[in-house]
Amino acid sequence: MTGTSNTQATLKVTTDAWEALFRAQVAVMRQITTMPEFAKLSLREYDVLFNLRHAPENETRLVDLNKHLLISQPSLSRMITRLEERGLVSRCTDPTDQRASRLKLTEAGLSMQQEIGRAHVKQLHLLLGEAMSEEEFIELQRLSTKLHNAVE
Amino acid sequence: MTGTSNTQATLKVTTDAWEALFRAQVAVMRQITTMPEFAKLSLREYDVLFNLRHAPENETRLVDLNKHLLISQPSLSRMITRLEERGLVSRCTDPTDQRASRLKLTEAGLSMQQEIGRAHVKQLHLLLGEAMSEEEFIELQRLSTKLHNAVE
DNA sequence: TGTTATTACATGCATACGCATATAAATTAG
DNA sequence: CTAATTTATATGCGTATGCATGTAATAACA
């Protein structure tokens, strides 16, 4: 059909899908960041709390957390200092590796994440709930996850 | 089936799809930004050139360009100043509205965008080409676009 | 075991960012 | 037609960011 016989999707199809996904992400994020809840915490800070929330026992090493974010390691290090000062995250040396910092959501941090998370979800639902059918959302999730797994 | 009878997808399905899309975007972007091509231009700067490239006659007003980005208007204004100094973008007052700036890709800006864009596409294909079938990529693009249109 | 390499995190420094606000042009109201 | 309002962009200022590098602990090697 395409003239090539390997198993790769064509350049164009791959790129078009990525650009569409990227543009959708920007558009939705633009809407979400207008929410009053994000006055309390920047998007990047929320993302840190979100990732900690989904780590086993709400705890990770700094370097592992960093792998899920777009910011640099030094930026994350300083952001954690600020979140620590605000009582949202605690930092302690890993007993099994004296180099490493173990980060953990505090009670306050957990509450904050849940509060913003709920508002976030509500807003998303309002914004997107009628955009597509239930089946389409499920398919979008499946394909996004597949893409994600491919690059990890 | 769900107990509700409206046309909205459930909270969970909507949110799960969004989170999967968001995480996929972060993961792919993390890979892309390691490319040597992004030493020349930050991701945000590339995004500006990309958007100008896709505007009619490679030209837009600052405020319209800003609508497609996550950065603030003042940040964009200063970024354009820097891109102008590097000869990649030109800025002139809109003759039909003396308040507005019309931005345009220069020849150098166009070349730069194309050069990085090509490397970008190549890397994406390498990274994602085998992740999914052609049909799945097309479906991912369709669903992402649908989501995008819903929030615009 | 002593030496080198690697890994984890922090810090100095220049720059980019966002918020609040200023300026100036266009639009609307009276 | 003037005054008030809105829209488009720019600027001051404090803060966050990234890059290069420093420090210290672990791992690899000879």
Side-chain angles (χ1 to χ4, degrees):
Chain A
M1 214 55 139
T2 58
T4 66
S5 56
N6 63 33
T7 59
Q8 289 213 322
T10 63
L11 273 175
K12 177 162 172 47
V13 163
T14 311
T15 308
D16 287 354
W18 162 247
E19 277 171 7
L21 184 142
F22 179 72
R23 295 300 148 195
Q25 191 271 332
V26 169
V28 174
M29 202 51 95
R30 279 183 58 85
Q31 298 291 328
I32 287 175
T33 50
T34 64
M35 291 168 60
E37 284 75 15
F38 279 104
K40 296 182 176 182
L41 227 51
S42 79
L43 185 69
R44 287 169 156 180
E45 287 168 337
Y46 173 74
D47 203 25
V48 164
L49 297 198
F50 177 90
N51 272 283
L52 277 173
R53 176 73 184 80
H54 289 79
E57 303 193 47
N58 302 340
E59 202 175 338
T60 349
R61 300 200 315 169
L62 198 143
V63 78
D64 293 326
L65 176 57
N66 195 220
K67 282 177 190 142
H68 301 123
L69 305 173
L70 286 171
I71 66 174
S72 68
Q73 175 270 313
S75 282
L76 178 58
S77 176
R78 282 188 256 240
M79 186 190 289
I80 295 295
T81 303
R82 294 191 300 272
L83 292 173
E84 211 180 355
E85 282 162 3
R86 292 172 66 179
L88 301 172
V89 170
S90 69
R91 164 157 47 183
C92 65
T93 304
D94 188 328
T96 71
D97 183 345
Q98 298 287 115
R99 294 169 303 178
S101 271
R102 293 206 66 79
L103 311 175
K104 192 167 167 51
L105 262 186
T106 63
E107 279 302 315
L110 182 59
S111 306
M112 172 83 82
Q113 194 281 323
Q114 288 174 335
E115 182 199 338
I116 299 183
R118 271 191 291 268
H120 194 139
V121 162
K122 220 168 139 184
Q123 174 78 355
L124 262 174
H125 190 236
L126 220 89
L127 208 63
L128 304 180
E130 293 185 283
M132 303 192 296
S133 72
E134 189 116 346
E135 291 70 29
E136 285 177 317
F137 276 114
I138 291 169
E139 182 65 358
L140 179 59
Q141 188 202 341
R142 189 183 74 80
L143 295 173
S144 298
T145 302
K146 205 165 176 182
L147 204 66
H148 187 174
N149 291 337
V151 301
E152 278 292 80
Chain B
M1 214 53 138
T2 58
T4 65
S5 56
N6 63 31
T7 58
Q8 288 215 321
T10 61
L11 274 176
K12 177 161 173 46
V13 164
T14 310
T15 309
D16 286 354
W18 162 248
E19 278 173 6
L21 184 142
F22 178 73
R23 296 299 147 195
Q25 192 271 334
V26 169
V28 174
M29 202 53 93
R30 278 184 58 85
Q31 297 291 330
I32 287 175
T33 50
T34 63
M35 290 168 59
E37 283 75 14
F38 279 104
K40 296 182 176 182
L41 228 50
S42 79
L43 186 69
R44 289 169 154 179
E45 288 169 336
Y46 174 73
D47 203 26
V48 164
L49 297 197
F50 178 90
N51 271 282
L52 278 172
R53 177 71 184 84
H54 289 80
E57 303 193 47
N58 302 340
E59 202 174 339
T60 349
R61 301 201 316 170
L62 197 143
V63 79
D64 294 325
L65 175 58
N66 195 218
K67 282 176 191 141
H68 300 123
L69 306 173
L70 286 172
I71 64 175
S72 68
Q73 175 270 313
S75 282
L76 178 58
S77 177
R78 281 189 255 240
M79 187 190 288
I80 296 295
T81 304
R82 294 191 299 273
L83 292 173
E84 213 181 353
E85 282 163 2
R86 293 172 65 179
L88 301 172
V89 170
S90 69
R91 166 157 47 184
C92 66
T93 304
D94 187 329
T96 72
D97 183 346
Q98 298 288 116
R99 294 168 304 180
S101 271
R102 294 205 66 77
L103 310 175
K104 192 166 167 49
L105 263 186
T106 62
E107 278 301 315
L110 181 59
S111 306
M112 173 83 81
Q113 195 282 322
Q114 288 175 335
E115 181 198 340
I116 299 182
R118 270 191 291 267
H120 193 139
V121 161
K122 220 167 140 185
Q123 175 77 355
L124 261 174
H125 191 237
L126 221 88
L127 210 60
L128 305 179
E130 293 185 282
M132 303 192 297
S133 72
E134 190 118 346
E135 290 70 29
E136 284 178 317
F137 275 114
I138 291 169
E139 182 65 0
L140 179 59
Q141 188 202 341
R142 189 184 75 81
L143 295 173
S144 297
T145 303
K146 204 166 176 182
L147 204 67
H148 187 174
N149 291 336
V151 301
E152 279 292 81

